[in-house]
Amino acid sequence: MFKRLFSLDAHSSRSAIIDSWRGFAMLLVLVHHNGGLDQITASAILQFHMPLFFIISGFMLDRASSLRKHTFGSHIAKRFIQLIIPYFIFEFIFLAAWLIYQGSAVNIKATLLSIVTTLNSDDAAGLRLWFLPCLFVADGAAFLVLRFINNKFLLFIISISVYAGAWALSIIHPERLPFMLDIGLVAFTYIIIGNTLAQFLSSLEKGMIHKYHIGAALLLFGISLVCSLNNSPLLMFSHNYGNYAISFAGACCGSIAVLILVSRFIPCSKWITVFVTWFGRNSLLLFPLHLLILNIITAAQSIINIPTSLRFIILVGLCIPFVNLINRYLPILAGHGFSRKR
């Protein structure tokens, strides 16, 4: 029953460690969006959990040898199916829900413009599913750069330079840019950082973790926590980072700390590994889907009071069957095109 519920595939070539990285980050997203956290805990999670996804994506560009297997065009086509098609479908599902809920109060024209440009607007209904188009833009740019440059030190310099450029742009032009071009610069930075850390992350994936790694991880997490306490929350969806230098240091330290700790402790329990890696394998689908489910739960709270802990259990409990059903019968929503995911 457990194996069927989590759709385990004993013959899958996917890395359980990498999926556990993604899965742990995805669970942090669910915990934060569920609400009920104190300010310190919420800020600590926000400090690194979204940059962590982009760092993992940068590592995957190196690990999967995507640069050798695909041309730029084929890579973009693949990511379009994985990210942009689900983005538009889910956005229109949300729009339909808003029309049912608010009717004529919804400004359809403003909402459609907001969806196409990926810019939030006071006149548009809801908030945009920013992560999917942002990953598409940043991943595509990173792929193009990595096709021509493989020197890790030079890539690190490029990432820092782009991040400094994003900082300068926020001062010169504080208004948001369409198509995730501004947030994409920051995301690009973390993707390149993930690629420069490929050798270290590969050793974590292979289980090459020493005692000093744990001490270093705790120190790095402490630095990340200090950064979160001395800066405004890192909110990538709204392009707010507070002090860019503190934000960057905290995000990198927190991400590396979590990657080490998850690599060391999640594999200690088979069932925890299964649970966490399932969330990692389905993270791209869970990003929009969990928000839809949260809106349903929130609507139910107008009728019945649901404690925060129970709300989270319900959220997770509903995500699992809905994800499995979508993977089987509506794979296009999960970024698989029309091929069913077994």
Side-chain angles (χ1 to χ4, degrees):
M1 176 64 183
F2 189 83
K3 183 176 179 179
R4 188 181 302 113
L5 183 63
F6 287 94
S7 303
L8 297 182
D9 182 0
H11 304 290
S12 175
S13 61
R14 294 181 65 111
S15 166
I17 291 296
I18 295 175
D19 280 330
S20 69
W21 295 343
R22 287 198 187 104
F24 188 81
M26 190 67 238
L27 286 167
L28 288 180
V29 171
L30 266 61
V31 167
H32 179 257
H33 286 173
N34 185 63
L37 300 175
D38 61 83
Q39 185 175 352
I40 293 177
T41 303
S43 295
I45 291 174
L46 287 169
Q47 183 61 58
F48 65 85
H49 78 316
M50 294 315 302
L52 176 56
F53 279 107
F54 294 109
I55 287 174
I56 296 170
S57 294
F59 171 57
M60 289 302 296
L61 281 178
D62 185 275
R63 179 186 179 274
S65 301
S66 298
L67 302 173
R68 295 190 296 271
K69 292 180 180 179
H70 301 285
T71 65
F72 177 69
S74 65
H75 181 77
I76 290 297
K78 176 184 175 183
R79 295 304 255 170
F80 188 88
I81 293 172
Q82 291 177 331
L83 301 169
I84 300 303
I85 291 178
Y87 166 76
F88 279 111
I89 293 176
F90 271 105
E91 284 287 8
F92 286 122
I93 291 173
F94 275 100
L95 176 57
W98 276 104
L99 287 171
I100 293 171
Y101 182 66
Q102 291 190 334
S104 60
V106 176
N107 187 327
I108 297 178
K109 182 178 179 180
T111 303
L112 290 175
L113 181 62
S114 175
I115 291 171
V116 171
T117 62
T118 71
L119 287 174
N120 292 316
S121 166
D122 292 336
D123 297 324
L127 297 174
R128 305 285 66 84
L129 301 171
W130 71 276
F131 179 78
L132 299 179
C134 182
L135 180 58
F136 177 77
V137 169
D139 179 84
F143 183 93
L144 193 58
V145 169
L146 294 170
R147 289 277 290 184
F148 298 99
I149 302 172
N150 56 20
N151 182 287
K152 300 301 184 185
F153 179 73
L154 180 56
L155 287 171
F156 178 75
I157 297 300
I158 290 173
S159 68
I160 297 300
S161 300
V162 170
Y163 190 78
W167 189 350
L169 180 63
S170 70
I171 298 172
I172 299 171
H173 190 277
E175 291 79 17
R176 287 289 318 282
L177 296 178
F179 315 119
M180 291 291 153
L181 295 178
D182 44 8
I183 302 178
L185 290 175
V186 177
F188 170 88
T189 297
Y190 290 119
I191 289 176
I192 297 298
I193 290 293
N195 192 269
T196 62
L197 293 172
Q199 185 174 354
F200 171 67
L201 297 182
S202 181
S203 69
L204 294 182
E205 183 192 0
K206 296 174 183 176
M208 299 167 60
I209 305 172
H210 304 286
K211 291 182 179 179
Y212 70 84
H213 280 133
I214 306 303
L218 294 176
L219 176 61
L220 290 171
F221 190 81
I223 294 173
S224 179
L225 181 59
V226 170
C227 289
S228 70
L229 294 174
N230 290 276
N231 196 23
S232 56
L234 192 162
L235 301 171
M236 287 192 74
F237 78 92
S238 59
H239 200 43
N240 292 320
Y241 311 96
N243 182 297
Y244 271 64
I246 294 176
S247 174
F248 181 75
C252 290
C253 288
S255 295
I256 295 171
V258 166
L259 290 169
I260 294 172
L261 295 174
V262 169
S263 300
R264 172 61 182 84
F265 294 109
I266 293 296
C268 292
S269 168
K270 175 183 177 181
W271 304 118
I272 291 178
T273 299
V274 169
F275 181 77
V276 174
T277 55
W278 182 90
F279 278 87
R281 294 182 184 192
N282 295 287
S283 56
L284 289 179
L285 173 56
L286 283 164
F287 269 107
L289 182 63
H290 88 278
L291 294 173
L292 188 61
I293 293 174
L294 268 178
N295 283 335
I296 295 172
I297 296 173
T298 301
Q301 283 187 293
S302 62
I303 303 173
I304 182 174
N305 181 44
I306 304 176
T308 303
S309 56
L310 179 58
R311 175 185 167 101
F312 181 74
I313 293 172
I314 294 172
L315 173 61
V316 172
L318 289 176
C319 280
I320 294 169
F322 273 108
V323 165
N324 288 337
L325 287 170
I326 289 172
N327 277 329
R328 186 165 182 81
Y329 298 109
L330 291 170
I332 192 170
L333 287 178
H336 304 305
F338 292 100
S339 302
R340 290 185 180 183
K341 182 180 178 184
R342 299 289 183 181

